[in-house]
Amino acid sequence: MIRTYPEGVTSWIDVEQNDVEGAKAFYGGVFGWTFTDATPPESPFRYVIAQLDGEDVAAIGGPSQPPEAGATSDSAWNTYVAVDDALAAADRVTAAGGRIVDPPTSAGEGGISVVCADPTGVQFRLWQAKRRPGAQITNTPGSWNFSDLHVDDSTTASAFYTQLFGWAFDDIGYATMIRQPGYGDHLAATVDPNIHERQSGDMVPPGFSDSIGWLATINDDERPHWHVAFTVADHDETVKPECTDELMCQLRVSL
C-alpha cells in the first residue's frame, strides 16, 4: 500500500550538496541507500531519490557537474510538510506571519514545492504531492525518524504553526510534542492498523499516535532550524568518534 500524508504532516526530506556523487557514496555507505535519478541527464540540477528495498526514503539534490576542487557547501536537511493546495497554503503562510522564500514550483510529475520561512526565520518547505506522496519507509534503520523544530522563540513558532496547520503543542513535562490531530486515525485506516493499540499504555503520552515531531529550545551554539533525525540500528557503530569530513559532521548533528 502506498503511504500517503494528510495536510499538515511532515512528509519528505532532502538535502542539497555540491557533490551529489560524493553524497550518494556517503549516505549509501552509512544507510544502505540505493539511488534513482529523478531529473533528465541534460538538466543542470540533479535530484536523486534515495531508496531502501526499492521504496523512497529521502533525496539528494545538487548541480549536475562535479564541483571544483576544494569547493564546500553549507547544506542542511530540508523538511517538507504535506499540503493539499500549495498555492493556498503559501497564502496562509504569509497570513500567519511567515514569508515565501521560493513560490510554488512544479517538480514535474512528482508534485509542487514551496520554500517558506516562519516568523522566527526557520525555513521549511511545503509539498503538494502528485506522483511522489512522500517517504514510504520511516522509523526503521536507515530511514527518517522525526523532524524536530529547534527554536529560540517557542511562543511565536507554536502560534504560527498552529494557525497554519492546526498543530497541537503538548507539554508532557520532559519535552513538547508536536501533533497533527487525526494523523493517528489516518495511519490506522491506511498503513498501520494497529497503531492505537501499540501506542497505548501508561508509558505512552496521550495523543502520541498523532505525533509528527518535537519542539526544542536551541542551545547557545545552535541556530534555529528544523532538525532531521534518522533511525539507526547501532548509534555508536554508525557515528564515529571523530568528525572526519563535512558529511560526517552533518550526519552526527542529524542522529
Side-chain angles (χ1 to χ4, degrees):
M1 177 181 290
I2 295 176
R3 179 167 184 162
T4 59
Y5 294 85
E7 181 160 282
V9 173
T10 48
S11 61
W12 186 242
I13 54 170
D14 65 16
V15 66
E16 295 179 13
Q17 295 281 353
N18 280 341
D19 185 355
V20 174
E21 287 301 316
K24 286 171 58 180
F26 174 76
Y27 287 109
V30 172
F31 293 138
W33 290 350
T34 58
F35 300 92
T36 302
D37 274 274
T39 46
E42 65 274 12
S43 174
F45 181 84
R46 287 186 71 187
Y47 197 75
V48 294
I49 304 298
Q51 296 182 319
L52 280 175
D53 299 324
E55 300 288 352
D56 296 355
V57 292
I60 299 171
S64 295
Q65 297 300 315
E68 297 180 359
T72 60
S73 62
D74 183 17
S75 59
W77 281 91
N78 304 305
T79 293
Y80 292 72
V81 182
V83 294
D84 297 331
D85 185 324
L87 186 59
D91 289 340
R92 295 202 308 272
V93 168
T94 56
R99 63 185 177 90
I100 303 302
V101 178
D102 288 323
T105 303
S106 173
E109 296 179 354
I112 300 172
S113 67
V114 189
V115 181
C116 313
D118 69 24
T120 72
V122 175
Q123 287 197 13
F124 65 100
R125 303 188 178 198
L126 307 176
W127 180 248
Q128 179 186 333
K130 293 182 180 179
R131 190 167 65 88
R132 294 194 181 279
Q136 295 300 295
I137 298 178
T138 63
N139 303 321
T140 62
S143 68
W144 176 34
N145 176 256
F146 266 133
S147 283
D148 301 323
L149 180 57
H150 290 209
V151 297
D152 57 0
D153 184 350
S154 59
T155 300
T156 297
S158 59
F160 169 78
Y161 290 104
T162 298
Q163 180 177 340
L164 179 59
F165 297 126
W167 289 354
F169 291 80
D170 297 345
D171 183 351
I172 58 175
Y174 59 86
T176 298
M177 180 171 61
I178 305 174
R179 291 189 301 111
Q180 177 61 305
Y183 183 41
D185 292 338
H186 173 84
L187 291 172
T190 54
V191 296
D192 195 351
N194 298 318
I195 186 171
H196 290 305
E197 291 77 12
R198 191 177 66 255
Q199 295 184 355
S200 62
D202 294 339
M203 301 300 293
V204 181
F208 187 68
S209 62
D210 294 332
S211 176
I212 61 168
W214 301 88
L215 180 69
T217 302
I218 59 172
N219 301 317
D220 292 338
D221 59 348
E222 187 182 12
R223 60 174 178 78
H225 67 290
W226 274 97
H227 177 95
V228 173
F230 296 94
T231 302
V232 294
D234 187 319
H235 179 278
D236 292 338
E237 184 65 24
T238 303
V239 181
K240 302 304 180 182
E242 297 298 329
C243 223
T244 56
D245 57 35
E246 178 187 359
L247 287 176
M248 179 59 79
C249 289
Q250 180 179 312
L251 180 62
R252 289 187 67 189
V253 171
S254 299
L255 286 169

